[in-house]
Amino acid sequence: MAWALKLPLADEVIESGLVQDFDASLSGIGQELGAGAYSMSDVLALPIFKQEESSLPPDNENKILPFQYVLCAATSPAVKLHDETLTYLNQGQSYEIRMLDNRKLGELPEINGKLVKSIFRVVFHDRRLQYTEHQQLEGWRWNRPGDRILDIDIPMSVGIIDPRANPTQLNTVEFLWDPAKRTSVFIQVHCISTEFTMRKHGGEKGVPFRVQIDTFKENENGEYTEHLHSASCQIKVFKPKGADRKQKTDREKMEKRTPHEKEKYQPSYETTILTESLRN
């Protein structure tokens, strides 16, 4: 059974785009498990990444971002062209997110040989739920005492340093990493999409979430508060094995459509590329 990180934070955390200070009695633990040089040219030459290139929105095709984050879970085939991808996850299952250094030569030289900090959050996709996020999360905490919304699977992760989680911020985890080295973090999402519906009418569809990653560099005081990059993707979380069934159902529905109808939909890709986003 995989370990889940449930340790308090001891330093600054950025939650919802704001810097909040808090004290904790214990510090996080972590270890660097990968030390070999990480060649972006070798990674992007792999067939899986060649396929992913076409899943980026048109306005991003010619824009090289400093970092790229890849969630190793298939996108739904039932998403229309030009709509954002949607990825189904199983509750509590560990999913890999690859952290890739995508900088051009000479870009951001100030982080060469240094660590950066990435903060992962699971947030609401729907604007109406974003407005009441605090109340929604407090209600979830009340119904699931002692549980977290988001965890890091430490033994499976590679290259992450000092992973931490604040017990008062159930949907947030963070860690340091070296962009020059192989880094993969495995996350577990414990809430399911139907836990945040009104349930007044049986069978109501679950709400979509977002996996949001914000990356920061050190300032002159050694604090990781200078924003470098943010990216996110849309997900829905199902009870164990529910994501696999939903993916299969979507695929079968698409197979029944006419060739003309299929042209209106995106193909399903084996992995999900997080796209650049604003911090929220």
Side-chain angles (χ1 to χ4, degrees):
M1 181 169 142
W3 307 345
L5 178 65
K6 300 180 184 292
L7 297 174
L9 276 166
D11 65 306
E12 229 172 30
V13 158
I14 299 160
E15 173 74 11
S16 301
L18 299 176
V19 179
Q20 301 176 351
D21 294 325
F22 64 90
D23 295 323
S25 59
L26 296 176
S27 61
I29 60 171
Q31 57 183 329
E32 182 175 355
L33 302 177
Y38 205 61
S39 169
M40 273 302 300
S41 59
D42 291 342
V43 173
L44 294 178
L46 295 172
I48 190 171
F49 286 98
K50 288 184 178 295
Q51 180 192 47
E52 286 161 356
E53 289 174 0
S54 60
S55 70
L56 290 171
D59 58 347
N60 278 349
E61 285 180 356
N62 299 318
K63 186 176 182 181
I64 303 298
L65 304 175
F67 302 108
Q68 188 174 63
Y69 315 123
V70 182
L71 169 63
C72 296
T75 61
S76 167
V79 176
K80 290 188 176 181
L81 290 174
H82 309 302
D83 284 352
E84 184 181 11
T85 60
L86 175 60
T87 302
Y88 305 133
L89 303 184
N90 289 314
Q91 178 188 29
Q93 183 172 326
S94 295
Y95 290 92
E96 179 185 12
I97 295 183
R98 298 171 187 164
M99 313 288 288
L100 304 177
D101 184 354
N102 209 23
R103 290 176 294 157
K104 296 177 289 188
L105 186 64
E107 184 180 8
L108 297 174
E110 65 271 23
I111 68 172
N112 289 341
K114 295 187 177 181
L115 302 177
V116 296
K117 174 187 281 188
S118 286
I119 298 177
F120 281 48
R121 290 179 294 144
V122 170
V123 296
F124 292 112
H125 174 75
D126 294 341
R127 186 69 62 184
R128 63 182 180 84
L129 289 173
Q130 291 175 14
Y131 290 138
T132 59
E133 180 175 290
H134 178 74
Q135 294 93 320
Q136 295 287 339
L137 297 184
E138 283 300 308
W140 191 89
R141 185 201 304 269
W142 178 264
N143 291 322
R144 300 272 297 273
D147 288 349
R148 288 189 56 81
I149 286 175
L150 180 64
D151 277 320
I152 295 177
D153 188 339
I154 297 177
M156 294 188 70
S157 300
V158 175
I160 66 172
I161 302 166
D162 200 16
R164 301 181 178 192
N166 178 11
T168 66
Q169 294 168 333
L170 306 182
N171 63 330
T172 303
V173 294
E174 66 171 59
F175 57 90
L176 304 177
W177 59 288
D178 184 345
K181 297 178 180 178
R182 180 189 172 197
T183 304
S184 284
V185 57
F186 281 76
I187 63 166
Q188 300 168 336
V189 182
H190 299 292
C191 60
I192 57 176
S193 291
T194 53
E195 288 182 284
F196 298 97
T197 58
M198 296 300 291
R199 302 187 185 184
K200 293 180 179 178
H201 311 286
E204 188 171 1
K205 294 180 180 179
V207 302
F209 304 122
R210 301 196 70 79
V211 174
Q212 172 89 20
I213 303 177
D214 301 306
T215 298
F216 304 84
K217 65 179 180 179
E218 281 184 293
N219 62 16
E220 56 187 13
N221 298 321
E223 301 166 327
Y224 291 92
T225 56
E226 293 196 23
H227 179 255
L228 286 172
H229 178 242
S230 293
S232 64
C233 67
Q234 185 180 194
I235 62 168
K236 278 192 174 183
V237 185
F238 296 79
K239 291 182 179 179
K241 298 186 178 180
D244 309 284
R245 290 192 292 269
K246 177 60 174 170
Q247 187 79 355
K248 180 182 178 182
T249 300
D250 282 3
R251 190 167 55 246
E252 291 173 346
K253 286 182 179 178
M254 290 305 301
E255 289 172 354
K256 295 177 181 178
R257 294 183 182 274
T258 66
H260 178 69
E261 290 176 323
K262 290 179 181 178
E263 291 176 357
K264 300 176 183 178
Y265 290 85
Q266 301 179 25
S268 174
Y269 295 104
E270 294 181 5
T271 58
T272 305
I273 292 182
L274 279 68
T275 55
E276 187 177 31
S277 63
L278 298 175
R279 292 163 60 194
N280 58 16

